[in-house]
Amino acid sequence: MSDETTGLIQENEKLPLRLQLAFGVGHVLNDICSSMWFTYLLVFLHLVLEFNNWEAGFLLLVGQVADAIANPFVGYQSDQRDTLWICKYGQRKIWHLIGTICVLGAFPFIFLPCVNPDSNRYVQLFYFAVFIVIFQFGWAAVQIAHLSIMPELTADEHQRTKLAATRYCFTVISNVLVYFVSWVVFRCEDGTERRISTSDAPDFQIIVWSGLSVGILCTIIYHVFVHEDSSRFDDHHATEQISLGVGQILQKVRYYQAAVVYMSTMLYINLTQVFVPLYLHETLTMAASALAKIPLVIYLGSLCTSFFVGTLNKYLGRKVAYVMGAVIGLVGCGWINLRSHTPTFTFYEIYAVALLFGCASAIVLVTNLGVTTDAIGDKTGSGAFVYGIMCFTDKLSNGIAVFVIQDLHKTFPNSEYYGHVLTFVCGGALILGSCGVISLSICKTCM
């Protein structure tokens, strides 16, 4: 195997395109499952299985808490030097492989009615919770393994941004695939419009297995073409200069600041993904096909924007790029609040809002990953644990937010509820993330 794919690419040295693309597809399986999880889980539980708001929110919270706990655990274990023969495959890649197996074994059952649909509702909740916990552990293992190998592939800041942009580009393509398949599945052959109902369970299985098939292929490509250099990893742990202990990490202010940015960014992205479909269904009373078309427009906007995010970061810097993305997203949030009741909104304006959401998501997410890799710097030996901490804040905050929002819907049952969620909660997350990025630039002396 050539040196260019086995070792750390030094600063100012360009990554080969083959390595960039192989790295980018390594998270496609996770991205496809995440798209289904955040966009269609509540829809499936509400409208197909007829779970109430509390039950659906509880299951999503279980998944997010399991994911939150798994992230620092996997991160810490991935950073440890392990002499077991199985770890010779690669400290990062072995966790990626274990996670993939868990995801494939559990995820299809989450979008499948309980084996005994007439059983007690609490039994059904336990049944789904078991598969959700297994899936989320696997998802966390794949995510941490994939993120933590990124700073080990190159020491150059701009090359790391390029890797993050490539990763996000494939994230967008994965989401576009899910929404395109969903649109094909949900649309009526005679051209009429329909809404999601209890008879749509088989349709969700078609979407799940279509996505998993592509994800499996991409995972194979990743494992074949991306190689870890075990000797370099051993050197990392033999030298304290490029690794930090848990106590040292927890004492660094920059990691808390980066965690605020990471958490806020993922809150915005995930909450829009969760509540846009419910907003379309409940507030705007749009047809089932809209639950695929509007998210598809969001991610097409993201895809187009992702090609320019690296350039924005390079010439404008992290702070300006992130704030620019946040402002675009805030315009979309405000548009929903001001124009949802107008006659033209569901026909034309909703697509413009979707494009704004897509552009904002691409800019803030790629910049956010750049902020995290900057915080890690050359301490790549502890990179997995740092990502684990970031993802812990992300998953826990998302789970709590969704649960609270769903539970509060009982108190505020009006049809405009999800519009207010998209305006104020998602908009607030963007403002918090911007404050975090600005604080990082102000407090560089703490880094």
Side-chain angles (χ1 to χ4, degrees):
M1 191 62 60
S2 65
D3 293 339
E4 68 181 9
T5 58
T6 57
L8 179 72
I9 305 297
Q10 297 303 314
E11 197 159 357
N12 299 323
E13 188 175 341
K14 286 189 175 182
L15 289 167
L17 181 61
R18 183 179 66 175
L19 180 58
Q20 290 181 50
L21 296 177
F23 169 80
V25 301
H27 204 254
V28 165
L29 177 63
N30 259 23
D31 291 329
I32 288 171
C33 292
S34 177
S35 179
M36 287 289 297
W37 172 264
F38 283 112
T39 306
Y40 293 128
L41 180 68
L42 293 185
V43 172
F44 180 76
L45 295 176
H46 273 312
L47 307 179
V48 178
L49 300 187
E50 297 184 320
F51 282 25
N52 62 36
N53 285 327
W54 185 92
E55 292 164 343
F58 172 76
L59 285 176
L60 195 142
L61 176 62
V62 167
Q64 295 304 106
V65 171
D67 196 356
I69 295 172
N71 273 293
F73 170 78
V74 172
Y76 179 79
Q77 293 299 324
S78 179
D79 281 334
Q80 304 310 300
R81 179 182 178 183
D82 204 325
T83 57
L84 290 175
W85 64 270
I86 195 173
C87 292
K88 298 300 181 183
Y89 182 64
Q91 293 284 147
R92 310 302 191 198
K93 287 178 65 179
I94 191 61
W95 281 101
H96 191 284
L97 184 60
I98 291 170
T100 298
I101 294 170
C102 292
V103 168
L104 293 175
F107 188 71
F109 293 96
I110 297 174
F111 286 89
L112 192 67
C114 185
V115 174
N116 182 9
D118 297 324
S119 58
N120 181 277
R121 183 51 60 89
Y122 290 104
V123 173
Q124 293 188 50
L125 288 174
F126 178 78
Y127 171 87
F128 283 107
V130 170
F131 287 112
I132 285 172
V133 169
I134 296 171
F135 159 67
Q136 290 290 3
F137 172 81
W139 200 95
V142 171
Q143 181 187 39
I144 294 300
H146 193 253
L147 284 171
S148 59
I149 205 173
M150 179 166 59
E152 293 189 359
L153 293 176
T154 176
D156 185 80
E157 173 187 332
H158 299 306
Q159 292 298 308
R160 288 177 176 180
T161 302
K162 187 177 291 185
L163 282 177
T166 304
R167 182 183 191 269
Y168 185 70
C169 182
F170 281 103
T171 295
V172 173
I173 292 172
S174 302
N175 281 270
V176 169
L177 171 67
V178 169
Y179 298 135
F180 178 76
V181 173
S182 301
W183 175 71
V184 172
V185 170
F186 289 145
R187 71 186 180 91
C188 296
E189 294 182 2
D190 59 2
T192 59
E193 298 286 1
R194 66 180 181 87
R195 306 189 78 193
I196 301 293
S197 67
T198 55
S199 63
D200 287 313
D203 291 341
F204 281 93
Q205 280 295 297
I206 294 173
I207 300 169
V208 166
W209 282 107
S210 298
L212 291 184
S213 300
V214 175
I216 292 170
L217 176 62
C218 290
T219 299
I220 293 171
I221 293 172
Y222 171 79
H223 280 272
V224 169
F225 290 103
V226 176
H227 296 265
E228 274 188 82
D229 188 342
S230 298
S231 64
R232 288 183 180 274
F233 190 87
D234 293 342
D235 289 343
H236 285 179
H237 287 272
T239 308
E240 291 184 359
Q241 293 178 347
I242 39 89
S243 184
L244 294 174
V246 174
Q248 292 175 296
I249 291 172
L250 296 178
Q251 291 173 8
K252 299 284 186 180
V253 175
R254 70 173 184 263
Y255 292 122
Y256 292 95
Q257 294 171 301
V260 170
V261 178
Y262 195 100
M263 178 191 71
S264 304
T265 302
M266 299 312 297
L267 266 174
Y268 168 73
I269 291 172
N270 291 335
L271 292 184
T272 53
Q273 204 169 11
V274 169
F275 292 112
V276 161
L278 293 174
Y279 168 70
L280 299 173
H281 179 86
E282 183 173 311
T283 305
L284 303 183
T285 62
M286 298 182 74
S289 60
L291 276 64
K293 285 193 295 185
I294 301 304
L296 180 60
V297 173
I298 291 175
Y299 279 94
L300 286 175
S302 289
L303 180 61
C304 295
T305 308
S306 65
F307 295 114
F308 307 103
V309 179
T311 303
L312 285 176
N313 275 261
K314 184 176 181 178
Y315 292 104
L316 300 181
R318 307 282 193 218
K319 180 179 70 174
V320 176
Y322 191 98
V323 172
M324 179 185 297
V327 169
I328 293 172
L330 287 169
V331 171
C333 293
W335 200 332
I336 285 177
N337 189 53
L338 297 174
R339 299 287 297 174
S340 285
H341 301 294
T342 59
T344 59
F345 188 80
T346 55
F347 293 101
Y348 308 110
E349 296 180 44
I350 186 63
Y351 296 97
V353 172
L355 284 173
L356 290 173
F357 278 177
C359 294
S361 296
I363 295 172
V364 298
L365 180 57
V366 174
T367 305
N368 162 60
L369 291 176
V371 167
T372 307
T373 56
D374 290 348
I376 293 172
D378 60 354
K379 307 298 183 182
T380 58
S382 50
F385 183 71
V386 172
Y387 277 115
I389 293 297
M390 301 298 165
C391 294
F392 174 84
T393 62
D394 153 32
K395 305 304 178 182
L396 193 60
S397 62
N398 273 280
I400 293 173
V402 172
F403 180 77
V404 171
I405 288 169
Q406 287 296 96
D407 195 50
L408 285 176
H409 198 7
K410 296 183 296 185
T411 308
F412 305 99
N414 63 81
S415 61
E416 299 175 2
Y417 181 75
Y418 290 120
H420 294 322
V421 169
L422 291 173
T423 298
F424 300 109
V425 181
C426 296
L430 286 174
I431 293 172
L432 180 60
S434 299
C435 292
V437 170
I438 293 170
S439 75
L440 272 167
S441 65
I442 293 174
C443 302
K444 282 185 178 179
T445 54
C446 299
M447 300 176 63

